[in-house]
Amino acid sequence: MPPEPADRVLARASLAEGNPTGWFDQLYTAASRGEAEVPWTRGKPNAALADWLRPGEGRRALVVGSALGDDAELLASAGWAVTAFDVAPTAVEAARARFPETEVDYVVADLLKPPGEWHQAFDLVVEIINIQAMPRDFRAAAITSLAGFLAPGGTALVSEVAEENVAPEPGPPWPFSREEIESVAQGGVRLVSLETIHDGLRYWATFTR
């Protein structure tokens, strides 16, 4: 049998300690030493986000779980004033090192305990395949935080693995149900569109406030 992926080993240990996000920095640190792979890093922006891209014209954007910065840099190149955060300090440091001349504000923050000043502060919120790395016990709080970032008239883009079209297996990721992704529509946020992409394997949802 091939060895179990590092992300699953680390996630299981972190969750056993009651810490749903601590394993992210452990994984990035192991990857920096060549001891693991970060499965969601591709070295280029998310293709669906690139297809959606709109001019920012100085408006504020927030990238959730910014990893090594590809999506954040894409938005900045289109004129968005981007804040990009990750719970893993190692990931934030790596993103800054990759893009030393960046205009993106890379910060360390936790989706489960976000800064209060981010409440309804962003015209664009991008969440792509991050919350699916949390078991369902923690998702309601994460989704509430996500919805809370969106400013009136803004747009939130949310993409997660679609449970309805994916065979169950040990996580992470733990795929989303349609009901879960629709639950971003709370606290004045409403669903604009919901479709599946990548041959039905992933949801792509748009919300506004």
Side-chain angles (χ1 to χ4, degrees):
M1 294 288 292
E4 191 172 18
D7 59 319
R8 292 183 177 176
V9 174
L10 293 170
R12 187 163 55 245
S14 187
L15 289 166
E17 297 172 353
N19 184 352
T21 59
W23 63 275
F24 287 103
D25 196 57
Q26 296 170 11
L27 180 62
Y28 280 106
T29 300
S32 71
R33 298 194 298 257
E35 298 170 358
E37 293 184 0
V38 181
W40 52 83
T41 58
R42 297 288 183 271
K44 58 184 179 181
N46 178 271
L49 180 62
D51 288 342
W52 175 89
L53 191 61
R54 309 283 195 275
E57 300 174 335
R59 291 173 292 171
R60 297 189 70 190
L62 181 69
V63 176
V64 178
S66 50
L68 302 185
D70 295 293
D71 290 349
E73 296 296 326
L74 174 70
L75 293 173
S77 72
W80 293 90
V82 182
T83 298
F85 78 93
D86 205 288
V87 73
T90 305
V92 171
E93 292 168 6
R96 290 172 179 163
R98 284 186 74 203
F99 304 102
E101 305 299 323
T102 187
E103 296 183 357
V104 175
D105 182 19
Y106 288 104
V107 298
V108 178
D110 188 340
L111 181 59
L112 296 176
K113 301 174 184 177
E117 61 267 26
W118 288 0
H119 183 67
Q120 295 191 22
F122 296 94
D123 303 296
L124 175 65
V125 177
V126 177
E127 153 51 20
I128 297 177
I129 61 170
N130 290 289
I131 299 177
Q132 67 180 34
M134 296 181 185
R136 287 190 169 90
D137 288 350
F138 300 95
R139 285 189 187 168
I143 290 169
T144 295
S145 292
L146 180 69
F149 298 142
L150 190 61
T155 297
L157 305 174
V158 184
S159 184
E160 314 286 351
V161 171
E163 181 183 70
E164 62 190 273
N165 294 318
V166 177
E169 60 178 297
W174 292 276
F176 262 55
S177 68
R178 184 172 290 266
E179 180 181 13
E180 282 180 303
I181 203 159
E182 289 176 346
S183 73
V184 177
Q186 59 177 274
V189 175
R190 61 180 177 84
L191 178 66
V192 175
S193 64
L194 174 58
E195 59 184 315
T196 56
I197 59 176
H198 296 307
D199 296 323
L201 297 179
R202 191 173 295 174
Y203 290 121
W204 182 266
T206 304
F207 300 85
T208 193
R209 182 186 295 280

